[in-house]
Amino acid sequence: MARYLFGRLAGIVIVFWIVSVVIFLLMHAIPGGPYNEDKVPLTAEAKANYLRKYGLDRPLVEQYLLYMGNVLRGDFGVPFQSPTESVAGLIARTWPVSASLGLAALLVALPAGLLLGILAAARQNSWVDYLASATATLGLTVPNFVVAVWLVLLLAVQLKWLPTGGWGEWYHYIMPVTALALAPLALTARYTRTSILEVVRSDYVRTARSKGLSDRQILLRHTLRNAMIPLLTILAPQIPNLITGTIFIESIFRVPGLGKFFVSSILGRDYPMIMALLLLVAVLWSLVYLITDLLYTLVDPRVRLEGKKS
Amino acid sequence: MSWSKLPSRTQRTALLLLVLVAALLLQACAPAATAPDDGQEAAVPAGPVVNTLGKELPADAAPLDQQVLVYPYNGWRTFTTIDFFQAVYERADSLTDLLSDALVRLDKDFQVNPGAATEWSVDESGLVWTFKLDPNLMWNDGTPVTADDYVATFRYGADPEHAWDFSWYYQGVIRNWTQAVAGEVPVEEIGVRAVDAQTLEFTTEAPAPFLPAMLVYSATFQKAALEAHGGLYNSNPETSVSAGPYQLVEWTKDQRLVYAINPDYKGTNVPYIERIVVVNIGQPSQLMPAYEANEIDFVNGGGTLSPADLEIIGADPDLNAQYHPHYGDFRTYYFAFDTSQPPFDNLLVRQAFAHVLDRETILANVVKRQGMAAYSFLMPGFPAANSSAHQETYAFNVEGAQQLLAEAGYPNGEGFPKLTLKLRAEGPTPLAVAQAYAAALKESLGIEVEVNNMDFKAFMDELNAKPTGVQFTLISYGMDYLDPSNMLGVFLSGGRHPWSNAEYDSLVRDASSFTGDPAERVQMFQEAETILVNDAAFVFAYHQTPGDLIKPYLKGPALEPDANGVAAWHWPGFSSFSNLLSGVYISNEVSNYRQAPD
Amino acid sequence: MNHPPPVAAQRTLLGDAARRFARNRLALVGLAMVTILLTMAVGADQIAPYAYDAADPARALQFPSGQHWMGTDEVGRDVYSRIVHGTRISLSVGLGVMVLALLIGVPLGLLAGLSGGPVDYAIMRLVEVFTAVPALMLALLLISVFGGGLANVILALGGVAWLDSCRLLRAQLLSLRERDFVLAARTVGASGARIALRHLLPNSIAPLIVAVTIGIPVAIFAEAGLSFLGLGINDPIPSWGKMVGNALSYMRVYWHLGVFPTLAIAVTMLGFTFLGDGLRDAFDTAMNR
């Protein structure tokens, strides 16, 4: 176990390094720079001045080494978009906002999706099943920003029950959480249904049934647990997505989270921010996968971590 | 709590799709809308209300706690500063430049009025300008505003280390500015100098009769704060210092800014409004809902209101009355070609393209009230505008266009390369105009055109590459100051586009520095514009006429009709660049809409 | 569950599955929907009443009528015709991305799940590298650098979409490896490759099919996101995702611009879902017999 964990953690370091190189090269390959050009092109001198100010005139290798050196010392630089704070400070300020929203959405989506999926599987091909399928399809095909726009028009503009957006009060959660939860809810429902049906037909459930266990016992003790595996695999990647924020949802509801920076840092060629966000997500994601793999062994003891050849 | 208007039929249909039951219930239960009554209640007779700066509010003004302006900013844009001389393009369409006075400011007729400068004059050479500063001006830390502050601000703008994004503006105008930006001379050598504490002297490269108009962008930094904390000192209330009508009291990043009236303000642009709350509105699509929900007082319509928004406004008499169209920044949208390369180095090709733009149909059906047809560059109402002279030059004429294209060697578009019409991260209206023109080019001339609405910076990078990477584009330009030298300057050789015409260059340059008879100067500019139009390197499509949404409780002399009868929130908006700042108050009608914001 | 009694005759897995499939009504509906979509994609020029790029600003933003079943867009193009033509683009994106994803993901997933040890470790690190970068952000970066267009969009999206199938397959294999039937096969001396192909892969197909049916609309939407940022497929070529994206500024009044492309995506997804579920059920029961 310790060896396994060590191997995985070493893997995270490798991932961190590869991602940093690839992203560094990619982002510097995008046309344009952090300087602003609008009405009239900047003169060559003015542009050169700008690049020099941020050290962007140096060779890429030098810039990379300098940056990584700083990162290893814990200094992620200053975001071009918000030069009065540090990148780390900005992330520390905005990430908890996104994370709380994402967690709230998960807390809504998971139980509701499970319930819907179980209902659909239990009453396969009944109207419950069809309704659940329709809901799931809707959740996956209607983009969440469209849902968000309509929520605002209905609840804020027409009914005036809620403000159109903002942050700081409990009621500011209602609309963004609803819009955010829809897709993972649909995903959960869909995979739960499929997995349960799958497991129900498998040998060991048949064995269990032949041993005289009741349907409920089978559902709880065998089916659900086994159905968790593909669900975990599919839902796990949703988690970093959700807790790092969603651009459209946050910008529609004026949530001061991390989400918009994933796009605005690319649009603004905010190199320190692009790097920090990607490295942050890289580490976060690697950890989520590590935990997912550990969870596999809990829900399905047949999975062995070491993956030894037999 | 008042119910807003019943949704229109189309809105209802759309709502049905989202929540069928809820929408039906809503329709059944919603009481008839209660229109806010226009100040029908008799004004309570009382003594005159006076604000913090001792300015007497009009009789119909709301109480002081309601004298709050709630203004949106675009949360999608980079927002690092509230100072023009720090970064023009990082102010997020917010309310900025309130913390010191510019040397001059504009009134609603775009006339140049004294600001921080009480008077100015130019010497006989036409090169040396002297501006006298208002001796009363004080920073709210108790120190006086001096010419040194302005000198330090201009030096900061030219400083290569600062790399100001608007440094082009004073290039070729203020002496040695260009050289200072290039690092060839120290910033101390630019043509801005303090003669004494209250006297500021500008020296220009050539006579620049437009200099006072240009100096609308001259809100100053405090020299001491600039030296102590750098150019972002106003991004933090702790280090912020103000000599302007307002002071910064809160800046919660990604959420809101709050300004309060500056009790120590000694200038002449004295506002009515006590507090300003500038709220992040996320993205432009959310402006209209927030306005309808009475969360903001104002929507800047310049390219932000969507076609659906405009349709809703047009269908609702109340909203329609709150919609105020105006000239904006005299912005013109035009198609441009890379005339340095085939096929657009051929005048016949360009003329053919010019003849297939059906402005009338596109304006009536696509642009609608957001613009007026453009046949030339300067919008009617702008100095030297000469629109009527060019209406027939390239009138809509498909047959003529086909003939011209055949003459150019591309009968029915045969052999013509496939084009990509590139746009600069434009909103829905310019995008639709581009699509309509692309379709017309295919239908009338047999030329395949794809439309690519690009990322802003990638577009600018391609546009400015030498040689340019943008062969064909729809782009816009709006004024920085009210003089043709500014607008027409964008087409000078070596500027935004590869088009180059020596005669045009010399006409614009000569006219710009011409100090004789103003009528003659106008004529020179008009000659230049005729060259511009005739050469068809640019096909002028439409002049943008943005409309702002202004809540009916915003009142005041600045919002009364101007000399042309236009009642609007005039450019350059609520800042120390304009006396709009001192000409708006909140009337007591506000109580029908909202409570005092916190 | 009412499985039909096994027929004594010799039967292949495929034939058995086909029979099961033919008896599943929803699966047939799905098959029909997908067939219709593919027909629309192939015969778009014959089916669409108007050209997808025929604009007439004088007829802009008309609501659905007899002449224009789904109304017209902001420059007067027929929405129905654009949706029919959009089938071609959106299915190309959806199917292209998923085919690419399977081509990369299945071999890697098989390799990782079967070999374990250092191979598994290396492949899983590769997966992490790709997952570590948010898919849309990576696609955005790639297209910003290499340019847009249909082929590049498919490559960029497919280049990040293979992760799901790879991970799913590996997870399934890890779990299946220890099951009775594999152990049984192993005890009778079946080789590793034979076990993989005859037993493990077919048993892992069900979640893969679901992943593919979900992946198709996801890819269609990812393309929309890119188009929205000016990095996808250029106008006037229609894609559903782009139509939904563009409709955002019009939808509040001109609902038809948003609703019909969304419906097209929903129908596509439902079609593939029914088809996928049907296939899964068919293979599944056939195998577990």
Short mmCIF file of all heavy atoms in Angstrom, two decimals, chain B residues 533-575:
data_model
loop_
_atom_site.label_atom_id
_atom_site.label_comp_id
_atom_site.label_asym_id
_atom_site.label_seq_id
_atom_site.Cartn_x
_atom_site.Cartn_y
_atom_site.Cartn_z
N VAL B 533 -13.08 57.65 -49.78
CA VAL B 533 -14.30 56.98 -50.27
C VAL B 533 -14.10 56.46 -51.68
O VAL B 533 -14.36 55.30 -51.98
CB VAL B 533 -15.51 57.94 -50.20
CG1 VAL B 533 -16.72 57.30 -50.89
CG2 VAL B 533 -15.83 58.29 -48.77
N ASN B 534 -13.57 57.32 -52.56
CA ASN B 534 -13.47 56.94 -53.97
C ASN B 534 -12.55 55.75 -54.20
O ASN B 534 -12.78 54.96 -55.10
CB ASN B 534 -12.97 58.13 -54.80
CG ASN B 534 -14.03 59.21 -54.91
OD1 ASN B 534 -15.19 58.96 -54.58
ND2 ASN B 534 -13.64 60.39 -55.36
N ASP B 535 -11.51 55.64 -53.41
CA ASP B 535 -10.56 54.57 -53.65
C ASP B 535 -11.11 53.21 -53.20
O ASP B 535 -10.48 52.18 -53.47
CB ASP B 535 -9.23 54.87 -52.95
CG ASP B 535 -8.07 54.17 -53.65
OD1 ASP B 535 -8.08 54.15 -54.90
OD2 ASP B 535 -7.20 53.63 -52.96
N ALA B 536 -12.23 53.20 -52.52
CA ALA B 536 -12.93 51.97 -52.17
C ALA B 536 -12.05 50.95 -51.46
O ALA B 536 -12.28 49.75 -51.54
CB ALA B 536 -13.58 51.33 -53.40
N ALA B 537 -11.03 51.41 -50.77
CA ALA B 537 -10.25 50.49 -49.95
C ALA B 537 -11.06 50.11 -48.72
O ALA B 537 -10.76 49.14 -48.03
CB ALA B 537 -8.94 51.14 -49.53
N PHE B 538 -12.07 50.93 -48.45
CA PHE B 538 -12.95 50.69 -47.31
C PHE B 538 -14.38 50.86 -47.78
O PHE B 538 -14.68 51.80 -48.50
CB PHE B 538 -12.63 51.68 -46.18
CG PHE B 538 -11.17 51.71 -45.85
CD1 PHE B 538 -10.33 52.67 -46.38
CD2 PHE B 538 -10.63 50.72 -45.04
CE1 PHE B 538 -8.97 52.66 -46.10
CE2 PHE B 538 -9.27 50.70 -44.76
CZ PHE B 538 -8.44 51.67 -45.28
N VAL B 539 -15.23 49.93 -47.40
CA VAL B 539 -16.65 50.05 -47.72
C VAL B 539 -17.36 50.40 -46.42
O VAL B 539 -17.44 49.58 -45.51
CB VAL B 539 -17.20 48.75 -48.32
CG1 VAL B 539 -18.68 48.90 -48.59
CG2 VAL B 539 -16.45 48.40 -49.59
N PHE B 540 -17.81 51.64 -46.33
CA PHE B 540 -18.42 52.10 -45.08
C PHE B 540 -19.83 51.54 -44.98
O PHE B 540 -20.63 51.66 -45.90
CB PHE B 540 -18.38 53.62 -45.02
CG PHE B 540 -16.97 54.12 -45.11
CD1 PHE B 540 -16.46 54.64 -46.29
CD2 PHE B 540 -16.12 53.99 -44.03
CE1 PHE B 540 -15.14 55.04 -46.38
CE2 PHE B 540 -14.79 54.39 -44.11
CZ PHE B 540 -14.30 54.91 -45.29
N ALA B 541 -20.13 50.89 -43.86
CA ALA B 541 -21.40 50.16 -43.74
C ALA B 541 -22.42 50.94 -42.93
O ALA B 541 -23.48 51.30 -43.43
CB ALA B 541 -21.16 48.79 -43.14
N TYR B 542 -22.10 51.20 -41.66
CA TYR B 542 -23.07 51.95 -40.87
C TYR B 542 -22.41 52.70 -39.73
O TYR B 542 -21.36 52.32 -39.24
CB TYR B 542 -24.20 51.05 -40.35
CG TYR B 542 -23.81 50.02 -39.31
CD1 TYR B 542 -24.05 50.24 -37.95
CD2 TYR B 542 -23.23 48.81 -39.69
CE1 TYR B 542 -23.71 49.29 -37.00
CE2 TYR B 542 -22.88 47.85 -38.75
CZ TYR B 542 -23.13 48.10 -37.41
OH TYR B 542 -22.79 47.16 -36.47
N HIS B 543 -23.05 53.80 -39.35
CA HIS B 543 -22.64 54.56 -38.17
C HIS B 543 -23.45 54.02 -37.00
O HIS B 543 -24.67 53.92 -37.08
CB HIS B 543 -22.94 56.05 -38.34
CG HIS B 543 -22.33 56.66 -39.57
ND1 HIS B 543 -20.98 56.76 -39.76
CD2 HIS B 543 -22.91 57.21 -40.66
CE1 HIS B 543 -20.73 57.35 -40.92
NE2 HIS B 543 -21.89 57.63 -41.50
N GLN B 544 -22.76 53.69 -35.94
CA GLN B 544 -23.46 53.13 -34.79
C GLN B 544 -24.18 54.24 -34.02
O GLN B 544 -23.60 55.27 -33.71
CB GLN B 544 -22.46 52.43 -33.87
CG GLN B 544 -23.13 51.59 -32.80
CD GLN B 544 -22.12 50.90 -31.90
OE1 GLN B 544 -21.18 51.52 -31.41
NE2 GLN B 544 -22.31 49.63 -31.70
N THR B 545 -25.47 54.03 -33.76
CA THR B 545 -26.22 54.97 -32.92
C THR B 545 -26.71 54.20 -31.70
O THR B 545 -27.82 53.71 -31.68
CB THR B 545 -27.43 55.55 -33.67
OG1 THR B 545 -28.20 54.45 -34.19
CG2 THR B 545 -27.03 56.45 -34.80
N PRO B 546 -25.85 54.07 -30.70
CA PRO B 546 -26.24 53.27 -29.55
C PRO B 546 -27.36 53.97 -28.78
O PRO B 546 -27.51 55.19 -28.84
CB PRO B 546 -24.96 53.21 -28.72
CG PRO B 546 -24.18 54.41 -29.11
CD PRO B 546 -24.55 54.71 -30.53
N GLY B 547 -28.15 53.16 -28.12
CA GLY B 547 -29.16 53.74 -27.24
C GLY B 547 -28.90 53.23 -25.84
O GLY B 547 -28.60 52.06 -25.65
N ASP B 548 -28.97 54.10 -24.87
CA ASP B 548 -28.78 53.68 -23.48
C ASP B 548 -30.14 53.54 -22.82
O ASP B 548 -31.10 54.22 -23.19
CB ASP B 548 -27.98 54.74 -22.71
CG ASP B 548 -26.60 54.97 -23.31
OD1 ASP B 548 -26.07 54.03 -23.93
OD2 ASP B 548 -26.08 56.09 -23.16
N LEU B 549 -30.20 52.67 -21.83
CA LEU B 549 -31.40 52.59 -20.99
C LEU B 549 -31.13 53.41 -19.74
O LEU B 549 -30.16 53.18 -19.03
CB LEU B 549 -31.69 51.14 -20.62
CG LEU B 549 -32.34 50.27 -21.70
CD1 LEU B 549 -32.37 48.82 -21.26
CD2 LEU B 549 -33.75 50.77 -22.00
N ILE B 550 -31.97 54.40 -19.51
CA ILE B 550 -31.80 55.27 -18.35
C ILE B 550 -33.10 55.24 -17.56
O ILE B 550 -34.17 55.56 -18.10
CB ILE B 550 -31.47 56.71 -18.77
CG1 ILE B 550 -30.27 56.73 -19.72
CG2 ILE B 550 -31.20 57.57 -17.55
CD1 ILE B 550 -29.94 58.11 -20.26
N LYS B 551 -33.03 54.87 -16.30
CA LYS B 551 -34.24 54.85 -15.49
C LYS B 551 -34.84 56.26 -15.42
O LYS B 551 -34.11 57.25 -15.36
CB LYS B 551 -33.90 54.37 -14.06
CG LYS B 551 -33.59 52.88 -13.98
CD LYS B 551 -34.83 52.02 -14.07
CE LYS B 551 -34.47 50.55 -13.85
NZ LYS B 551 -35.57 49.64 -14.21
N PRO B 552 -36.16 56.34 -15.41
CA PRO B 552 -36.80 57.67 -15.48
C PRO B 552 -36.50 58.55 -14.27
O PRO B 552 -36.70 59.76 -14.33
CB PRO B 552 -38.29 57.34 -15.58
CG PRO B 552 -38.43 55.92 -15.21
CD PRO B 552 -37.13 55.25 -15.48
N TYR B 553 -35.99 57.95 -13.19
CA TYR B 553 -35.70 58.79 -12.02
C TYR B 553 -34.32 59.43 -12.11
O TYR B 553 -33.94 60.18 -11.21
CB TYR B 553 -35.84 57.98 -10.71
CG TYR B 553 -35.12 56.66 -10.69
CD1 TYR B 553 -33.74 56.59 -10.46
CD2 TYR B 553 -35.82 55.46 -10.87
CE1 TYR B 553 -33.08 55.39 -10.44
CE2 TYR B 553 -35.16 54.24 -10.84
CZ TYR B 553 -33.79 54.20 -10.63
OH TYR B 553 -33.13 53.00 -10.60
N LEU B 554 -33.56 59.15 -13.17
CA LEU B 554 -32.33 59.91 -13.39
C LEU B 554 -32.70 61.16 -14.17
O LEU B 554 -33.21 61.09 -15.28
CB LEU B 554 -31.30 59.09 -14.16
CG LEU B 554 -30.63 57.94 -13.43
CD1 LEU B 554 -29.49 57.36 -14.26
CD2 LEU B 554 -30.08 58.39 -12.09
N LYS B 555 -32.46 62.32 -13.55
CA LYS B 555 -32.84 63.58 -14.18
C LYS B 555 -31.71 64.59 -14.05
O LYS B 555 -30.72 64.34 -13.37
CB LYS B 555 -34.10 64.13 -13.49
CG LYS B 555 -35.35 63.35 -13.86
CD LYS B 555 -36.60 64.09 -13.47
CE LYS B 555 -37.81 63.34 -13.99
NZ LYS B 555 -38.97 63.54 -13.12
N GLY B 556 -31.89 65.72 -14.68
CA GLY B 556 -30.90 66.77 -14.52
C GLY B 556 -30.60 67.47 -15.83
O GLY B 556 -30.95 66.97 -16.91
N PRO B 557 -29.95 68.64 -15.74
CA PRO B 557 -29.69 69.44 -16.94
C PRO B 557 -28.88 68.68 -17.98
O PRO B 557 -29.07 68.87 -19.19
CB PRO B 557 -28.91 70.64 -16.40
CG PRO B 557 -28.51 70.30 -15.00
CD PRO B 557 -29.50 69.30 -14.51
N ALA B 558 -27.96 67.79 -17.57
CA ALA B 558 -27.12 67.08 -18.55
C ALA B 558 -27.95 66.15 -19.41
O ALA B 558 -27.55 65.79 -20.51
CB ALA B 558 -26.03 66.30 -17.82
N LEU B 559 -29.11 65.73 -18.89
CA LEU B 559 -29.94 64.78 -19.64
C LEU B 559 -31.03 65.49 -20.44
O LEU B 559 -31.82 64.83 -21.14
CB LEU B 559 -30.56 63.75 -18.69
CG LEU B 559 -29.55 62.87 -17.95
CD1 LEU B 559 -30.24 61.91 -16.99
CD2 LEU B 559 -28.67 62.10 -18.92
N GLU B 560 -31.10 66.82 -20.34
CA GLU B 560 -32.04 67.58 -21.17
C GLU B 560 -31.52 67.56 -22.62
O GLU B 560 -30.35 67.32 -22.85
CB GLU B 560 -32.13 69.04 -20.69
CG GLU B 560 -32.61 69.20 -19.26
CD GLU B 560 -34.07 68.83 -19.09
OE1 GLU B 560 -34.86 69.16 -20.00
OE2 GLU B 560 -34.42 68.20 -18.08
N PRO B 561 -32.40 67.82 -23.61
CA PRO B 561 -31.96 67.77 -25.01
C PRO B 561 -30.78 68.70 -25.29
O PRO B 561 -30.70 69.79 -24.74
CB PRO B 561 -33.20 68.22 -25.79
CG PRO B 561 -34.34 67.89 -24.88
CD PRO B 561 -33.84 68.06 -23.48
N ASP B 562 -29.86 68.22 -26.12
CA ASP B 562 -28.72 69.05 -26.51
C ASP B 562 -29.11 69.93 -27.70
O ASP B 562 -30.28 70.00 -28.07
CB ASP B 562 -27.51 68.17 -26.85
CG ASP B 562 -27.73 67.29 -28.08
OD1 ASP B 562 -28.73 67.52 -28.80
OD2 ASP B 562 -26.93 66.39 -28.31
N ALA B 563 -28.12 70.59 -28.31
CA ALA B 563 -28.40 71.53 -29.39
C ALA B 563 -29.11 70.86 -30.56
O ALA B 563 -29.84 71.49 -31.31
CB ALA B 563 -27.09 72.17 -29.86
N ASN B 564 -28.91 69.54 -30.72
CA ASN B 564 -29.58 68.82 -31.80
C ASN B 564 -30.86 68.14 -31.33
O ASN B 564 -31.42 67.31 -32.05
CB ASN B 564 -28.64 67.77 -32.41
CG ASN B 564 -27.49 68.42 -33.14
OD1 ASN B 564 -27.67 69.41 -33.84
ND2 ASN B 564 -26.29 67.88 -32.95
N GLY B 565 -31.26 68.43 -30.10
CA GLY B 565 -32.49 67.85 -29.59
C GLY B 565 -32.34 66.44 -29.07
O GLY B 565 -33.32 65.75 -28.81
N VAL B 566 -31.10 65.99 -28.90
CA VAL B 566 -30.88 64.64 -28.41
C VAL B 566 -30.71 64.65 -26.90
O VAL B 566 -29.81 65.32 -26.37
CB VAL B 566 -29.61 64.02 -29.07
CG1 VAL B 566 -29.32 62.64 -28.49
CG2 VAL B 566 -29.80 63.94 -30.57
N ALA B 567 -31.61 63.95 -26.20
CA ALA B 567 -31.52 63.87 -24.74
C ALA B 567 -30.90 62.53 -24.39
O ALA B 567 -31.53 61.50 -24.57
CB ALA B 567 -32.90 63.99 -24.12
N ALA B 568 -29.66 62.54 -23.94
CA ALA B 568 -28.98 61.27 -23.73
C ALA B 568 -27.81 61.41 -22.76
O ALA B 568 -27.46 62.51 -22.33
CB ALA B 568 -28.47 60.70 -25.05
N TRP B 569 -27.26 60.27 -22.42
CA TRP B 569 -26.10 60.15 -21.55
C TRP B 569 -24.88 60.32 -22.44
O TRP B 569 -24.31 59.35 -22.93
CB TRP B 569 -26.15 58.75 -20.93
CG TRP B 569 -25.22 58.43 -19.82
CD1 TRP B 569 -23.97 57.90 -19.94
CD2 TRP B 569 -25.48 58.53 -18.43
NE1 TRP B 569 -23.44 57.67 -18.70
CE2 TRP B 569 -24.34 58.05 -17.75
CE3 TRP B 569 -26.57 58.98 -17.67
CZ2 TRP B 569 -24.26 58.00 -16.36
CZ3 TRP B 569 -26.48 58.93 -16.29
CH2 TRP B 569 -25.34 58.46 -15.65
N HIS B 570 -24.49 61.58 -22.70
CA HIS B 570 -23.52 61.81 -23.77
C HIS B 570 -22.12 61.34 -23.45
O HIS B 570 -21.67 61.39 -22.32
CB HIS B 570 -23.48 63.31 -24.09
CG HIS B 570 -24.65 63.76 -24.93
ND1 HIS B 570 -24.91 63.23 -26.16
CD2 HIS B 570 -25.62 64.68 -24.69
CE1 HIS B 570 -25.99 63.81 -26.65
NE2 HIS B 570 -26.45 64.68 -25.77
N TRP B 571 -21.44 60.90 -24.50
CA TRP B 571 -20.01 60.60 -24.45
C TRP B 571 -19.27 61.81 -23.92
O TRP B 571 -19.66 62.92 -24.25
CB TRP B 571 -19.56 60.28 -25.88
CG TRP B 571 -18.16 59.80 -26.01
CD1 TRP B 571 -17.72 58.52 -25.97
CD2 TRP B 571 -17.01 60.62 -26.19
NE1 TRP B 571 -16.36 58.49 -26.12
CE2 TRP B 571 -15.89 59.77 -26.25
CE3 TRP B 571 -16.79 62.01 -26.29
CZ2 TRP B 571 -14.59 60.24 -26.41
CZ3 TRP B 571 -15.51 62.48 -26.45
CH2 TRP B 571 -14.41 61.59 -26.50
N PRO B 572 -18.23 61.72 -23.12
CA PRO B 572 -17.59 60.49 -22.65
C PRO B 572 -18.15 59.97 -21.33
O PRO B 572 -17.44 59.25 -20.63
CB PRO B 572 -16.14 60.89 -22.52
CG PRO B 572 -16.18 62.34 -22.17
CD PRO B 572 -17.42 62.90 -22.77
N GLY B 573 -19.38 60.27 -21.00
CA GLY B 573 -20.03 59.64 -19.86
C GLY B 573 -19.72 60.27 -18.52
O GLY B 573 -19.16 61.36 -18.43
N PHE B 574 -20.09 59.53 -17.47
CA PHE B 574 -20.04 60.04 -16.11
C PHE B 574 -18.60 59.95 -15.58
O PHE B 574 -18.20 58.95 -14.97
CB PHE B 574 -20.99 59.21 -15.24
CG PHE B 574 -21.35 59.84 -13.93
CD1 PHE B 574 -22.53 60.54 -13.78
CD2 PHE B 574 -20.52 59.70 -12.81
CE1 PHE B 574 -22.88 61.11 -12.56
CE2 PHE B 574 -20.86 60.27 -11.60
CZ PHE B 574 -22.04 60.97 -11.48
N SER B 575 -17.81 60.99 -15.86
CA SER B 575 -16.43 61.01 -15.36
C SER B 575 -15.98 62.46 -15.33
O SER B 575 -16.72 63.35 -15.73
CB SER B 575 -15.52 60.21 -16.29
OG SER B 575 -15.35 60.92 -17.50
#
